[in-house]
Amino acid sequence: MEGTRIKKRGNNETDKRDDEVVCLRRQIGLLPAVSFIIGTVVGSGIFIAPKGVLMNSGSVGLSLLVWVLCGVLSLFGALCYAELGTTFTKSGGHYTYLLETLGPLPAFLRLWVEFVFIRPSVASYVSLAFGRYVVEPFFTPCAAPIVLIRLVSILGVTFVVAVNCWSVNMASRTQVTLTFIKMFALALIIVPGFIALAKGKTENFQNGFEVDLLTLDKLPLAFYSGLYAYGGWFNLNFITEEVTNPNRNMPLAIILSIVAVTVFYVLVNVAYYTMMTPAEVLLSDAVAVTFANRAFQGLAPVIPVLVAISCLGALNGGFFGAPRMLFVGAREGHWPAIFSMIHIRRHTPLPAVLFLYPLVIFMLITGEIYQLLNLASFSRWFFIALVTLGMLIHRYRFPLHPRPFKVPLVIGITFTMVSFFIVGLSLYSDPWNTGQSCALTLTGVPVYYVTVYRFRLPRRCRRIFDYCSKQLQILLEVAQQEVHTY
């Protein structure tokens, strides 16, 4: 069937069918949107983080309460982002909302830290977890070669990048498939756990709220571990322009996915404690694998494979969403224009996706991941707090601005205050890493002025830059969008 014709005017007047126009299509429906959020949130965290939550909360009951509260806080934040996503219809997530509410400099700094250390470190960490769970079962009980783990991690990253460069539909279908597999993995833990619970294995829940081991300076670290496992609830906002009927599907997808993740996370943790004592959880580096060895010896080797697939889904979600922030930043003039182009046939933001690839590979090879992860937590929450503060300021300044979905004011205020409280606790509990994070963020200020005011650079430099951009555009077969998608 012949598509709708879109008229383009230039030196020569041409007609193009809608399937020939170079632009990002709205192809993400409700199920892919839910899968995108769940698939990005559920990575390696739920299989590893229970140890950190228990260690810093001090008791089984309090650790379960931390998991619930982290889910509620994530839902509050996601609802705030649902309002922002339906108020400002551009893709780009944090960057777009800071640009619209607080101005270009905060928006550029968020873009800067995302690609200098937040996204590369998170993607490297998840890909290393993928490599470890693929390789280690073949070497048990010996230690797996770190070189082989890194090689498999690089192969995983390469696969995800190839899928996201090839087709939006393929990346979306891959995400849906991987999400169903990882939810099956969680169900595989929950069912035997609750069978054991029905048989009366409740000894680990007795005196569950003992607070003898709890210290107030460690409690924020318990929330950090829990919130890490919920990380990614904002990723759908990166692709707003590609979601069908966003005014309906964005809030609905966000609510369904975060509620589902919270319920599954709490049930998984309850299942862990039916088979393992708190001491055993603290001694385990991979709680899910230890649980599997207890619950079903015959199927125990399957769990590492499912965890690896879960990590691959989180990696795919990250590479699907984050490059859209760079794409929008370049479209707004805050990054070289080549990154605002899309492939003329594949209709994917090819340069933006490829830009992230060498950064992740470099970090995997050099191994400086865990230090950067510590730095990333502060910057991520600081800018999330700024985004929701910007939402509240925008509401006050422009009360008549159309808001198809409006979150209750108390939720917005509560989430903003809690986010700034988390940032303040970071300053108190880890001033060295927090200071480094601030310093790295501020290195973006001179880059901002060089990028935004690049027309003031010497003409020779500009000519060289324009020539390189043109050759890269020809090589990658990319072009600017021909129609507005927002």
Side-chain angles (χ1 to χ4, degrees):
M1 182 180 293
E2 187 178 13
T4 304
R5 292 190 176 275
I6 297 177
K7 183 167 285 189
K8 301 290 293 175
R9 293 188 182 273
N11 295 330
N12 296 312
E13 191 174 277
T14 61
D15 287 343
K16 286 189 176 183
R17 296 184 309 174
D18 57 357
D19 59 349
E20 295 174 343
V21 173
V22 179
C23 67
L24 293 175
R25 268 86 171 145
R26 291 192 182 274
Q27 299 176 332
I28 309 298
L30 180 60
L31 178 61
V34 171
S35 300
F36 179 66
I37 298 174
I38 294 177
T40 308
V41 171
V42 182
S44 61
I46 185 59
F47 305 105
I48 300 170
K51 176 180 177 179
V53 174
L54 177 63
M55 183 188 303
N56 294 297
S57 61
S59 67
V60 171
L62 199 54
S63 71
L64 294 175
L65 182 60
V66 167
W67 281 104
V68 173
L69 291 177
C70 286
V72 172
L73 183 62
S74 299
L75 179 61
F76 281 9
L79 290 173
C80 292
Y81 271 63
E83 174 177 326
L84 289 163
T86 53
T87 303
F88 307 110
T89 56
K90 296 178 184 177
S91 296
H94 321 289
Y95 167 82
T96 296
Y97 308 143
L98 287 169
L99 181 66
E100 297 287 347
T101 60
L102 298 181
L105 182 56
F108 179 85
L109 291 178
R110 182 62 183 86
L111 185 68
W112 174 252
V113 298
E114 178 74 15
F115 288 92
V116 168
F117 59 91
I118 291 180
R119 186 56 51 184
S121 60
V122 171
S124 301
Y125 181 82
V126 174
S127 61
L128 267 181
F130 166 77
R132 187 174 293 112
Y133 278 102
V134 168
V135 172
E136 284 186 347
F138 295 99
F139 290 87
T140 303
C142 301
I146 187 63
V147 174
L148 184 58
I149 290 175
R150 286 180 178 172
L151 179 61
V152 173
S153 301
I154 290 172
L155 290 175
V157 172
T158 304
F159 168 76
V160 166
V161 169
V163 168
N164 281 276
C165 288
W166 188 257
S167 166
V168 171
N169 263 335
M170 181 182 289
S172 173
R173 289 169 184 166
T174 301
Q175 192 68 5
V176 171
T177 303
L178 294 176
T179 298
F180 275 107
I181 293 173
K182 67 176 64 182
M183 297 310 283
F184 170 74
L186 295 181
L188 206 59
I189 294 172
I190 292 169
V191 171
F194 274 78
I195 291 174
L197 200 64
K199 292 180 178 178
K201 290 190 176 182
T202 59
E203 54 270 14
N204 292 329
F205 299 99
Q206 296 169 7
N207 302 317
F209 285 92
E210 290 179 342
V211 292
D212 297 341
L213 300 176
L214 173 64
T215 56
L216 291 179
D217 61 330
K218 285 188 175 181
L219 192 57
L221 299 177
F223 278 93
Y224 261 141
S225 295
L227 290 171
Y228 167 74
Y230 282 98
W233 48 262
F234 43 73
N235 276 23
L236 186 64
N237 296 72
F238 289 150
I239 59 170
T240 305
E241 295 171 33
E242 297 168 71
V243 177
T244 59
N245 192 8
N247 290 345
R248 170 187 176 271
N249 285 341
M250 286 193 67
L252 195 56
I254 284 169
I255 292 170
L256 289 174
S257 56
I258 300 302
V259 169
V261 168
T262 302
V263 170
F264 268 82
Y265 275 13
V266 173
L267 294 181
V268 165
N269 276 276
V270 170
Y272 284 152
Y273 292 118
T274 60
M275 297 281 184
M276 302 168 66
T277 65
E280 289 170 336
V281 171
L282 293 175
L283 288 173
S284 175
D285 290 326
V287 181
V289 176
T290 306
F291 174 88
N293 289 330
R294 296 282 179 83
F296 26 69
Q297 290 84 2
L299 291 176
V302 175
I303 294 297
V305 176
L306 294 176
V307 176
I309 291 173
S310 181
C311 294
L312 198 64
L315 200 61
N316 184 63
F319 270 93
F320 190 90
R324 269 64 173 179
M325 186 193 295
L326 187 67
F327 171 83
V328 175
R331 193 172 64 188
E332 297 290 339
H334 287 171
W335 210 253
I338 183 70
F339 295 104
S340 65
M341 299 182 184
I342 62 177
H343 196 274
I344 57 176
R345 292 186 303 278
R346 298 291 170 195
H347 302 139
T348 58
L350 188 65
V353 175
L354 289 177
F355 178 77
L356 190 56
Y357 181 63
L359 298 177
V360 176
I361 298 301
F362 174 78
M363 199 165 289
L364 279 171
I365 293 171
T366 57
E368 297 296 327
I369 298 170
Y370 301 105
Q371 176 70 13
L372 285 175
L373 268 177
N374 293 331
L375 304 181
S377 295
F378 168 80
S379 286
R380 174 176 276 184
W381 277 100
F382 175 70
F383 281 105
I384 286 173
L386 282 184
V387 167
T388 53
L389 177 63
M391 180 193 76
L392 298 174
I393 292 172
H394 190 269
R395 266 201 194 185
Y396 176 76
R397 292 179 61 199
F398 305 101
L400 300 181
H401 192 285
R403 292 177 175 84
F405 176 82
K406 196 171 182 179
V407 71
L409 188 62
V410 65
I411 289 180
I413 293 173
T414 300
F415 180 79
T416 303
M417 291 177 63
V418 171
S419 298
F420 276 116
F421 180 68
I422 290 172
V423 171
L425 283 175
S426 298
L427 285 166
Y428 170 75
S429 61
D430 194 1
W432 174 246
N433 278 328
T434 302
Q436 285 183 299
S437 182
C438 289
L440 276 172
T441 302
L442 292 176
T443 58
V445 175
V447 180
Y448 167 76
Y449 286 103
V450 170
T451 305
V452 174
Y453 298 103
R454 55 183 175 270
F455 59 87
R456 295 183 181 178
L457 293 172
R459 183 175 296 178
R460 181 178 177 82
C461 293
R462 280 182 284 148
R463 270 197 304 226
I464 293 172
F465 181 79
D466 291 341
Y467 174 79
C468 293
S469 296
K470 183 178 179 180
Q471 296 305 310
L472 195 57
Q473 182 181 353
I474 294 169
L475 175 66
L476 296 177
E477 296 184 303
V478 294
Q480 295 282 3
Q481 288 198 114
E482 296 179 324
V483 295
H484 284 297
T485 53
Y486 55 91

